[in-house]
CSV table of all heavy atoms in Angstrom, one decimal:
chain,number,residue,atom,x,y,z
A,1,MET,N,285.5,78.0,-107.1
A,1,MET,CA,284.2,78.5,-106.6
A,1,MET,C,284.1,78.5,-105.1
A,1,MET,O,284.0,77.5,-104.4
A,1,MET,CB,283.1,77.6,-107.2
A,1,MET,CG,282.9,77.7,-108.7
A,1,MET,SD,281.7,79.0,-109.1
A,1,MET,CE,281.6,78.8,-110.8
A,2,SER,N,284.2,79.6,-104.5
A,2,SER,CA,284.2,79.8,-103.1
A,2,SER,C,282.9,80.3,-102.6
A,2,SER,O,282.6,80.3,-101.4
A,2,SER,CB,285.3,80.7,-102.6
A,2,SER,OG,285.2,81.9,-103.2
A,3,THR,N,282.1,80.7,-103.5
A,3,THR,CA,280.8,81.3,-103.1
A,3,THR,C,279.8,80.1,-102.8
A,3,THR,O,279.7,79.2,-103.5
A,3,THR,CB,280.1,82.2,-104.2
A,3,THR,OG1,280.2,81.5,-105.4
A,3,THR,CG2,280.9,83.5,-104.3
A,4,LYS,N,279.1,80.3,-101.7
A,4,LYS,CA,278.1,79.3,-101.3
A,4,LYS,C,276.9,79.4,-102.1
A,4,LYS,O,276.5,80.5,-102.5
A,4,LYS,CB,277.7,79.5,-99.8
A,4,LYS,CG,278.8,79.0,-98.8
A,4,LYS,CD,278.3,79.2,-97.4
A,4,LYS,CE,278.9,80.5,-96.8
A,4,LYS,NZ,278.5,80.7,-95.4
A,5,PRO,N,276.2,78.3,-102.4
A,5,PRO,CA,275.0,78.4,-103.2
A,5,PRO,C,273.9,79.1,-102.3
A,5,PRO,O,273.7,78.7,-101.2
A,5,PRO,CB,274.6,76.9,-103.4
A,5,PRO,CG,275.3,76.1,-102.4
A,5,PRO,CD,276.6,76.9,-102.0
A,6,GLN,N,273.4,80.1,-102.9
A,6,GLN,CA,272.4,80.9,-102.2
A,6,GLN,C,271.0,80.6,-102.6
A,6,GLN,O,270.7,80.6,-103.8
A,6,GLN,CB,272.7,82.4,-102.5
A,6,GLN,CG,273.9,82.9,-101.9
A,6,GLN,CD,273.7,83.7,-100.6
A,6,GLN,OE1,272.6,83.8,-100.2
A,6,GLN,NE2,274.7,84.0,-99.9
A,7,LYS,N,270.1,80.3,-101.6
A,7,LYS,CA,268.7,80.2,-102.0
A,7,LYS,C,268.1,81.5,-102.1
A,7,LYS,O,268.5,82.5,-101.4
A,7,LYS,CB,268.0,79.4,-100.8
A,7,LYS,CG,268.3,77.9,-100.8
A,7,LYS,CD,267.5,77.3,-99.7
A,7,LYS,CE,267.8,75.8,-99.6
A,7,LYS,NZ,267.1,75.2,-98.4
A,8,PRO,N,267.1,81.6,-103.0
A,8,PRO,CA,266.5,82.9,-103.2
A,8,PRO,C,265.6,83.3,-102.1
A,8,PRO,O,265.2,82.4,-101.3
A,8,PRO,CB,265.7,82.7,-104.5
A,8,PRO,CG,265.4,81.3,-104.6
A,8,PRO,CD,266.6,80.6,-103.9
A,9,CYS,N,265.2,84.5,-102.0
A,9,CYS,CA,264.2,85.0,-101.1
A,9,CYS,C,262.9,84.2,-101.2
A,9,CYS,O,262.4,84.0,-102.3
A,9,CYS,CB,263.9,86.5,-101.3
A,9,CYS,SG,262.5,87.1,-100.4
A,10,PRO,N,262.4,83.6,-100.1
A,10,PRO,CA,261.2,82.8,-100.2
A,10,PRO,C,260.0,83.6,-100.6
A,10,PRO,O,259.0,83.0,-101.0
A,10,PRO,CB,261.1,82.2,-98.8
A,10,PRO,CG,261.8,83.1,-97.9
A,10,PRO,CD,262.9,83.8,-98.7
A,11,ILE,N,260.0,84.9,-100.4
A,11,ILE,CA,258.8,85.7,-100.7
A,11,ILE,C,258.8,86.1,-102.2
A,11,ILE,O,257.8,85.8,-102.9
A,11,ILE,CB,258.8,86.9,-99.9
A,11,ILE,CG1,258.8,86.6,-98.4
A,11,ILE,CG2,257.6,87.8,-100.2
A,11,ILE,CD1,257.6,85.8,-97.9
A,12,CYS,N,259.8,86.7,-102.7
A,12,CYS,CA,259.8,87.2,-104.1
A,12,CYS,C,260.8,86.5,-105.0
A,12,CYS,O,260.8,86.8,-106.2
A,12,CYS,CB,260.0,88.7,-104.1
A,12,CYS,SG,261.7,89.1,-103.6
A,13,LYS,N,261.5,85.5,-104.5
A,13,LYS,CA,262.5,84.8,-105.3
A,13,LYS,C,263.7,85.5,-105.8
A,13,LYS,O,264.4,85.1,-106.7
A,13,LYS,CB,261.8,84.0,-106.5
A,13,LYS,CG,260.5,83.3,-106.0
A,13,LYS,CD,260.8,82.2,-105.1
A,13,LYS,CE,259.5,81.5,-104.7
A,13,LYS,NZ,259.7,80.6,-103.5
A,14,LYS,N,263.9,86.7,-105.3
A,14,LYS,CA,265.0,87.5,-105.7
A,14,LYS,C,266.2,87.0,-104.8
A,14,LYS,O,266.0,86.4,-103.8
A,14,LYS,CB,264.8,89.0,-105.4
A,14,LYS,CG,263.9,89.6,-106.4
A,14,LYS,CD,263.7,91.1,-106.1
A,14,LYS,CE,262.7,91.7,-107.0
A,14,LYS,NZ,262.3,93.1,-106.6
A,15,PRO,N,267.5,87.3,-105.3
A,15,PRO,CA,268.6,86.9,-104.5
A,15,PRO,C,268.5,87.5,-103.1
A,15,PRO,O,268.2,88.7,-102.9
A,15,PRO,CB,269.8,87.5,-105.2
A,15,PRO,CG,269.3,87.7,-106.6
A,15,PRO,CD,267.8,87.9,-106.5
A,16,ARG,N,268.7,86.7,-102.1
A,16,ARG,CA,268.6,87.2,-100.7
A,16,ARG,C,269.8,88.1,-100.3
A,16,ARG,O,270.9,88.0,-100.9
A,16,ARG,CB,268.5,86.0,-99.7
A,16,ARG,CG,269.8,85.2,-99.7
A,16,ARG,CD,269.8,84.3,-98.5
A,16,ARG,NE,268.7,83.2,-98.7
A,16,ARG,CZ,268.6,82.2,-97.8
A,16,ARG,NH1,269.4,82.1,-96.8
A,16,ARG,NH2,267.7,81.3,-98.1
A,17,SER,N,269.6,88.9,-99.3
A,17,SER,CA,270.6,89.8,-98.9
A,17,SER,C,271.2,89.3,-97.6
A,17,SER,O,270.5,88.7,-96.8
A,17,SER,CB,270.0,91.2,-98.7
A,17,SER,OG,270.4,91.7,-97.4
A,18,GLU,N,272.5,89.5,-97.4
A,18,GLU,CA,273.2,89.0,-96.2
A,18,GLU,C,272.5,89.6,-95.0
A,18,GLU,O,272.3,89.0,-93.9
A,18,GLU,CB,274.7,89.4,-96.2
A,18,GLU,CG,275.5,88.5,-97.1
A,18,GLU,CD,275.7,87.2,-96.5
A,18,GLU,OE1,276.0,87.1,-95.2
A,18,GLU,OE2,275.7,86.2,-97.2
A,19,GLU,N,272.2,90.9,-95.1
A,19,GLU,CA,271.6,91.7,-94.0
A,19,GLU,C,270.3,91.2,-93.6
A,19,GLU,O,269.9,91.2,-92.4
A,19,GLU,CB,271.6,93.1,-94.4
A,19,GLU,CG,271.4,94.1,-93.3
A,19,GLU,CD,271.3,95.5,-93.8
A,19,GLU,OE1,271.7,95.8,-94.9
A,19,GLU,OE2,270.8,96.4,-93.0
A,20,HIS,N,269.5,90.7,-94.5
A,20,HIS,CA,268.1,90.4,-94.3
A,20,HIS,C,267.8,88.9,-94.4
A,20,HIS,O,266.6,88.5,-94.5
A,20,HIS,CB,267.2,91.2,-95.2
A,20,HIS,CG,267.4,92.7,-95.1
A,20,HIS,ND1,267.1,93.4,-94.0
A,20,HIS,CD2,267.8,93.6,-96.0
A,20,HIS,CE1,267.4,94.7,-94.2
A,20,HIS,NE2,267.9,94.8,-95.4
A,21,THR,N,268.8,88.1,-94.4
A,21,THR,CA,268.7,86.6,-94.6
A,21,THR,C,267.6,86.1,-93.7
A,21,THR,O,267.5,86.5,-92.5
A,21,THR,CB,270.0,85.9,-94.3
A,21,THR,OG1,270.9,86.3,-95.3
A,21,THR,CG2,269.9,84.4,-94.2
A,22,PRO,N,266.7,85.2,-94.2
A,22,PRO,CA,266.7,84.6,-95.5
A,22,PRO,C,266.0,85.4,-96.6
A,22,PRO,O,265.6,84.9,-97.6
A,22,PRO,CB,266.0,83.3,-95.2
A,22,PRO,CG,265.0,83.6,-94.2
A,22,PRO,CD,265.6,84.7,-93.3
A,23,PHE,N,265.7,86.7,-96.3
A,23,PHE,CA,264.9,87.5,-97.2
A,23,PHE,C,265.8,88.4,-98.0
A,23,PHE,O,267.0,88.6,-97.6
A,23,PHE,CB,263.8,88.2,-96.5
A,23,PHE,CG,263.0,87.3,-95.7
A,23,PHE,CD1,263.2,87.3,-94.3
A,23,PHE,CD2,262.0,86.5,-96.2
A,23,PHE,CE1,262.4,86.4,-93.5
A,23,PHE,CE2,261.3,85.7,-95.5
A,23,PHE,CZ,261.4,85.6,-94.1
A,24,CYS,N,265.3,89.1,-99.0
A,24,CYS,CA,266.1,90.0,-99.7
A,24,CYS,C,266.0,91.4,-99.2
A,24,CYS,O,266.9,92.3,-99.5
A,24,CYS,CB,265.6,90.0,-101.2
A,24,CYS,SG,264.0,90.7,-101.4
A,25,SER,N,265.0,91.7,-98.4
A,25,SER,CA,264.8,93.0,-97.9
A,25,SER,C,263.9,93.0,-96.6
A,25,SER,O,263.2,92.0,-96.4
A,25,SER,CB,264.2,93.9,-98.9
A,25,SER,OG,262.9,93.4,-99.3
A,26,THR,N,263.8,94.1,-95.9
A,26,THR,CA,262.9,94.2,-94.8
A,26,THR,C,261.4,94.0,-95.2
A,26,THR,O,260.6,93.5,-94.5
A,26,THR,CB,263.0,95.5,-94.0
A,26,THR,OG1,263.0,96.5,-94.9
A,26,THR,CG2,264.3,95.5,-93.2
A,27,ARG,N,261.2,94.5,-96.4
A,27,ARG,CA,259.8,94.4,-97.0
A,27,ARG,C,259.3,92.9,-97.0
A,27,ARG,O,258.2,92.6,-96.6
A,27,ARG,CB,259.7,95.0,-98.3
A,27,ARG,CG,258.3,95.2,-98.8
A,27,ARG,CD,258.2,95.6,-100.2
A,27,ARG,NE,258.8,97.0,-100.5
A,27,ARG,CZ,258.7,97.5,-101.6
A,27,ARG,NH1,258.2,97.0,-102.7
A,27,ARG,NH2,259.3,98.7,-101.8
A,28,CYS,N,260.2,92.1,-97.5
A,28,CYS,CA,259.8,90.7,-97.6
A,28,CYS,C,259.8,90.0,-96.3
A,28,CYS,O,259.0,89.2,-96.0
A,28,CYS,CB,260.8,90.0,-98.5
A,28,CYS,SG,260.5,90.3,-100.3
A,29,LYS,N,260.6,90.5,-95.4
A,29,LYS,CA,260.6,90.0,-94.0
A,29,LYS,C,259.3,90.3,-93.3
A,29,LYS,O,258.7,89.5,-92.7
A,29,LYS,CB,261.7,90.7,-93.2
A,29,LYS,CG,262.2,90.0,-92.0
A,29,LYS,CD,263.5,90.6,-91.5
A,29,LYS,CE,263.9,90.1,-90.2
A,29,LYS,NZ,265.1,90.8,-89.7
A,30,ASP,N,258.8,91.5,-93.6
A,30,ASP,CA,257.5,91.9,-93.0
A,30,ASP,C,256.4,91.2,-93.6
A,30,ASP,O,255.4,90.8,-93.0
A,30,ASP,CB,257.3,93.4,-93.3
A,30,ASP,CG,258.2,94.3,-92.4
A,30,ASP,OD1,258.8,93.8,-91.4
A,30,ASP,OD2,258.3,95.5,-92.6
A,31,ARG,N,256.5,90.9,-94.9
A,31,ARG,CA,255.5,90.2,-95.6
A,31,ARG,C,255.4,88.7,-95.1
A,31,ARG,O,254.3,88.2,-94.9
A,31,ARG,CB,255.7,90.1,-97.1
A,31,ARG,CG,255.3,91.4,-97.8
A,31,ARG,CD,255.6,91.3,-99.3
A,31,ARG,NE,254.8,90.3,-100.0
A,31,ARG,CZ,254.8,90.1,-101.3
A,31,ARG,NH1,255.6,90.9,-102.1
A,31,ARG,NH2,254.1,89.1,-101.8
A,32,ASP,N,256.5,88.2,-94.8
A,32,ASP,CA,256.5,86.8,-94.2
A,32,ASP,C,255.9,86.8,-92.8
A,32,ASP,O,255.1,86.0,-92.5
A,32,ASP,CB,258.0,86.3,-94.1
A,32,ASP,CG,258.0,84.9,-93.7
A,32,ASP,OD1,257.6,84.0,-94.5
A,32,ASP,OD2,258.4,84.6,-92.6
A,33,LEU,N,256.2,87.8,-92.0
A,33,LEU,CA,255.6,88.0,-90.7
A,33,LEU,C,254.1,88.1,-90.8
A,33,LEU,O,253.3,87.4,-90.1
A,33,LEU,CB,256.2,89.2,-90.0
A,33,LEU,CG,257.2,89.0,-89.0
A,33,LEU,CD1,257.7,90.4,-88.4
A,33,LEU,CD2,256.7,88.1,-87.9
A,34,ALA,N,253.6,88.9,-91.7
A,34,ALA,CA,252.2,89.2,-91.9
A,34,ALA,C,251.5,87.9,-92.3
A,34,ALA,O,250.4,87.6,-91.9
A,34,ALA,CB,252.0,90.2,-93.0
A,35,LYS,N,252.2,87.1,-93.1
A,35,LYS,CA,251.7,85.8,-93.5
A,35,LYS,C,251.5,84.9,-92.3
A,35,LYS,O,250.4,84.2,-92.2
A,35,LYS,CB,252.7,85.2,-94.5
A,35,LYS,CG,252.1,84.0,-95.3
A,35,LYS,CD,253.1,83.5,-96.3
A,35,LYS,CE,254.2,82.7,-95.7
A,35,LYS,NZ,255.3,82.3,-96.6
A,36,TRP,N,252.4,84.9,-91.4
A,36,TRP,CA,252.2,84.1,-90.2
A,36,TRP,C,251.1,84.6,-89.3
A,36,TRP,O,250.4,83.8,-88.7
A,36,TRP,CB,253.6,84.1,-89.4
A,36,TRP,CG,254.6,83.1,-90.0
A,36,TRP,CD1,255.7,83.5,-90.7
A,36,TRP,CD2,254.5,81.7,-90.1
A,36,TRP,NE1,256.3,82.4,-91.2
A,36,TRP,CE2,255.7,81.3,-90.8
A,36,TRP,CE3,253.7,80.8,-89.5
A,36,TRP,CZ2,256.0,79.9,-91.0
A,36,TRP,CZ3,253.9,79.4,-89.7
A,36,TRP,CH2,255.1,79.0,-90.4
A,37,PHE,N,251.0,85.9,-89.2
A,37,PHE,CA,249.9,86.4,-88.4
A,37,PHE,C,248.6,86.2,-89.0
A,37,PHE,O,247.6,86.3,-88.3
A,37,PHE,CB,250.2,87.9,-88.1
A,37,PHE,CG,251.1,88.2,-87.0
A,37,PHE,CD1,252.3,88.8,-87.2
A,37,PHE,CD2,250.9,87.7,-85.7
A,37,PHE,CE1,253.2,89.0,-86.2
A,37,PHE,CE2,251.8,87.9,-84.7
A,37,PHE,CZ,253.0,88.6,-84.9
A,38,GLY,N,248.5,86.1,-90.3
A,38,GLY,CA,247.3,86.0,-91.0
A,38,GLY,C,246.9,87.3,-91.6
A,38,GLY,O,247.2,88.4,-91.1
A,39,ASP,N,246.1,87.2,-92.7
A,39,ASP,CA,245.7,88.4,-93.4
A,39,ASP,C,244.9,89.4,-92.6
A,39,ASP,O,245.0,90.5,-92.7
A,39,ASP,CB,244.9,88.0,-94.7
A,39,ASP,CG,245.8,87.4,-95.7
A,39,ASP,OD1,247.0,87.5,-95.6
A,39,ASP,OD2,245.2,86.7,-96.6
A,40,GLY,N,244.1,88.8,-91.7
A,40,GLY,CA,243.2,89.7,-90.9
A,40,GLY,C,244.0,90.5,-90.0
A,40,GLY,O,243.7,91.7,-89.7
A,41,TYR,N,245.1,90.0,-89.5
A,41,TYR,CA,246.0,90.8,-88.6
A,41,TYR,C,246.8,91.8,-89.3
A,41,TYR,O,247.1,92.9,-88.8
A,41,TYR,CB,246.9,89.9,-87.8
A,41,TYR,CG,246.5,89.5,-86.4
A,41,TYR,CD1,247.2,88.7,-85.6
A,41,TYR,CD2,245.3,90.1,-85.9
A,41,TYR,CE1,246.8,88.4,-84.4
A,41,TYR,CE2,244.9,89.8,-84.6
A,41,TYR,CZ,245.6,88.9,-83.9
A,41,TYR,OH,245.3,88.6,-82.6
A,42,ALA,N,247.2,91.4,-90.5
A,42,ALA,CA,248.1,92.3,-91.3
A,42,ALA,C,247.4,93.5,-91.8
A,42,ALA,O,248.1,94.6,-92.0
A,42,ALA,CB,248.7,91.5,-92.5
A,43,VAL,N,246.2,93.4,-92.1
A,43,VAL,CA,245.4,94.6,-92.6
A,43,VAL,C,244.8,95.4,-91.5
A,43,VAL,O,243.9,94.9,-90.8
A,43,VAL,CB,244.3,94.1,-93.6
A,43,VAL,CG1,243.6,95.3,-94.2
A,43,VAL,CG2,244.9,93.2,-94.7
A,44,PRO,N,245.3,96.6,-91.3
A,44,PRO,CA,244.8,97.4,-90.1
A,44,PRO,C,243.3,97.8,-90.3
A,44,PRO,O,242.6,97.9,-89.3
A,44,PRO,CB,245.7,98.6,-90.1
A,44,PRO,CG,246.3,98.7,-91.4
A,44,PRO,CD,246.3,97.3,-92.0
A,45,ALA,N,243.0,98.2,-91.5
A,45,ALA,CA,241.6,98.7,-91.7
A,45,ALA,C,240.7,97.6,-92.2
A,45,ALA,O,240.3,97.6,-93.4
A,45,ALA,CB,241.7,99.8,-92.7
A,46,ARG,N,240.3,96.7,-91.3
A,46,ARG,CA,239.4,95.7,-91.7
A,46,ARG,C,238.0,96.1,-91.2
A,46,ARG,O,237.9,96.8,-90.2
A,46,ARG,CB,239.8,94.3,-91.1
A,46,ARG,CG,239.7,94.3,-89.6
A,46,ARG,CD,240.3,93.0,-89.1
A,46,ARG,NE,240.4,93.1,-87.6
A,46,ARG,CZ,239.4,92.8,-86.8
A,46,ARG,NH1,238.3,92.3,-87.3
A,46,ARG,NH2,239.6,92.9,-85.5
A,47,PRO,N,237.0,95.7,-91.9
A,47,PRO,CA,235.6,96.1,-91.5
A,47,PRO,C,235.3,95.4,-90.1
A,47,PRO,O,235.5,94.3,-89.9
A,47,PRO,CB,234.7,95.5,-92.6
A,47,PRO,CG,235.5,94.5,-93.3
A,47,PRO,CD,237.0,94.9,-93.1
A,48,ALA,N,234.7,96.2,-89.3
A,48,ALA,CA,234.3,95.7,-87.9
A,48,ALA,C,233.0,94.9,-88.1
A,48,ALA,O,232.2,95.1,-88.8
A,48,ALA,CB,234.1,96.9,-87.0
A,49,SER,N,233.0,93.8,-87.3
A,49,SER,CA,231.8,93.0,-87.3
A,49,SER,C,230.7,93.6,-86.4
A,49,SER,O,231.0,94.4,-85.5
A,49,SER,CB,232.2,91.6,-86.7
A,49,SER,OG,232.5,91.7,-85.3
A,50,PRO,N,229.5,93.3,-86.6
A,50,PRO,CA,228.4,93.9,-85.9
A,50,PRO,C,228.6,93.7,-84.4
A,50,PRO,O,228.2,94.5,-83.6
A,50,PRO,CB,227.2,93.1,-86.4
A,50,PRO,CG,227.5,92.7,-87.7
A,50,PRO,CD,229.0,92.4,-87.7
A,51,GLU,N,229.2,92.5,-84.0
A,51,GLU,CA,229.4,92.3,-82.6
A,51,GLU,C,230.4,93.3,-82.0
A,51,GLU,O,230.2,93.7,-80.9
A,51,GLU,CB,230.0,90.8,-82.5
A,51,GLU,CG,229.7,90.2,-81.2
A,51,GLU,CD,230.1,88.7,-81.2
A,51,GLU,OE1,230.7,88.3,-82.2
A,51,GLU,OE2,230.0,88.1,-80.2
A,52,GLU,N,231.4,93.6,-82.8
A,52,GLU,CA,232.4,94.5,-82.3
A,52,GLU,C,231.8,95.9,-82.2
A,52,GLU,O,232.1,96.7,-81.2
A,52,GLU,CB,233.6,94.6,-83.3
A,52,GLU,CG,234.6,93.4,-83.0
A,52,GLU,CD,235.7,93.4,-84.1
A,52,GLU,OE1,235.4,93.4,-85.3
A,52,GLU,OE2,236.8,93.3,-83.7
A,53,ILE,N,231.0,96.3,-83.1
A,53,ILE,CA,230.4,97.6,-83.1
A,53,ILE,C,229.5,97.7,-81.9
A,53,ILE,O,229.4,98.7,-81.2
A,53,ILE,CB,229.6,97.8,-84.4
A,53,ILE,CG1,230.5,97.9,-85.6
A,53,ILE,CG2,228.7,99.1,-84.3
A,53,ILE,CD1,229.8,97.9,-86.9
A,54,ALA,N,228.8,96.6,-81.6
A,54,ALA,CA,227.8,96.6,-80.4
A,54,ALA,C,228.6,96.8,-79.1
A,54,ALA,O,228.1,97.4,-78.2
A,54,ALA,CB,227.0,95.3,-80.5
A,55,SER,N,229.8,96.2,-79.1
A,55,SER,CA,230.5,96.2,-77.8
A,55,SER,C,231.4,97.4,-77.7
A,55,SER,O,231.9,97.7,-76.7
A,55,SER,CB,231.4,94.9,-77.7
A,55,SER,OG,232.3,94.9,-78.8
A,56,ALA,N,231.6,98.1,-78.8
A,56,ALA,CA,232.4,99.3,-78.8
A,56,ALA,C,231.7,100.5,-78.0
A,56,ALA,O,230.5,100.5,-78.0
A,56,ALA,CB,232.8,99.8,-80.2
A,57,ASP,N,232.5,101.4,-77.5
A,57,ASP,CA,232.0,102.5,-76.8
A,57,ASP,C,231.6,103.6,-77.7
A,57,ASP,O,232.4,104.6,-77.9
A,57,ASP,CB,233.0,102.9,-75.7
A,57,ASP,CG,232.4,104.0,-74.8
A,57,ASP,OD1,231.1,104.2,-74.8
A,57,ASP,OD2,233.1,104.6,-74.0
A,58,TRP,N,230.5,103.6,-78.3
A,58,TRP,CA,230.1,104.6,-79.3
A,58,TRP,C,229.6,105.8,-78.7
A,58,TRP,O,229.4,106.8,-79.3
A,58,TRP,CB,229.1,104.0,-80.3
A,58,TRP,CG,229.7,103.0,-81.2
A,58,TRP,CD1,229.6,101.6,-81.1
A,58,TRP,CD2,230.7,103.2,-82.3
A,58,TRP,NE1,230.3,101.0,-82.0
A,58,TRP,CE2,231.0,101.9,-82.7
A,58,TRP,CE3,231.3,104.3,-82.8
A,58,TRP,CZ2,231.9,101.7,-83.8
A,58,TRP,CZ3,232.1,104.1,-83.9
A,58,TRP,CH2,232.4,102.8,-84.4
A,59,ASP,N,229.3,105.8,-77.4
A,59,ASP,CA,228.7,107.0,-76.7
A,59,ASP,C,229.6,108.1,-76.7
A,59,ASP,O,229.2,109.3,-76.7
A,59,ASP,CB,228.4,106.6,-75.2
A,59,ASP,CG,227.3,105.6,-75.1
A,59,ASP,OD1,226.5,105.4,-76.1
A,59,ASP,OD2,227.1,105.0,-74.1
A,60,ALA,N,230.9,107.9,-76.8
A,60,ALA,CA,231.9,108.9,-76.8
A,60,ALA,C,232.0,109.6,-78.1
A,60,ALA,O,232.5,110.7,-78.2
A,60,ALA,CB,233.3,108.3,-76.5
A,61,GLN,N,231.3,109.0,-79.1
A,61,GLN,CA,231.4,109.6,-80.5
A,61,GLN,C,230.4,110.8,-80.6
A,61,GLN,O,229.3,110.7,-80.0
A,61,GLN,CB,231.0,108.6,-81.5
A,61,GLN,CG,231.6,108.8,-82.8
A,61,GLN,CD,231.3,107.7,-83.8
A,61,GLN,OE1,230.2,107.2,-83.8
A,61,GLN,NE2,232.3,107.4,-84.7
A,62,ASP,N,230.8,111.8,-81.3
A,62,ASP,CA,230.0,113.0,-81.5
A,62,ASP,C,229.7,113.8,-80.3
A,62,ASP,O,229.0,113.5,-79.4
A,62,ASP,CB,228.7,112.6,-82.2
A,62,ASP,CG,228.0,113.8,-82.9
A,62,ASP,OD1,228.6,114.9,-83.0
A,62,ASP,OD2,226.8,113.7,-83.2
B,101,ZN,ZN1,262.2,89.2,-101.4
């Protein structure tokens, strides 16, 4: 047995890829990154808070 024991991808538990270690794919790598940044950062289309709307430059609209 010359193969090293491989831990699975921490995101989806599939066998990890040499290329994307410790993940199985770039998708899981991105998911892990998003996890660190937090859900609010990972989702681009989040609802704006009233405070943000008030401070935004809405005059340029329309
Ligand atoms: Zn994975």
Side-chain angles (χ1 to χ4, degrees):
M1 287 273 186
S2 59
T3 49
K4 283 183 263 181
Q6 292 262 355
K7 284 184 181 174
C9 169
I11 303 298
C12 68
K13 312 298 180 192
K14 286 179 187 172
R16 66 169 66 174
S17 134
E18 282 287 319
E19 195 180 343
H20 304 294
T21 293
F23 307 101
C24 69
S25 63
T26 47
R27 191 189 295 184
C28 283
K29 204 169 170 182
D30 288 347
R31 278 180 65 176
D32 187 70
L33 257 181
K35 196 175 71 184
W36 282 106
F37 277 119
D39 289 346
Y41 261 179
V43 182
R46 65 189 172 87
S49 68
E51 208 176 0
E52 282 177 305
I53 293 169
S55 63
D57 187 13
W58 292 105
D59 291 344
Q61 208 178 37
D62 197 13

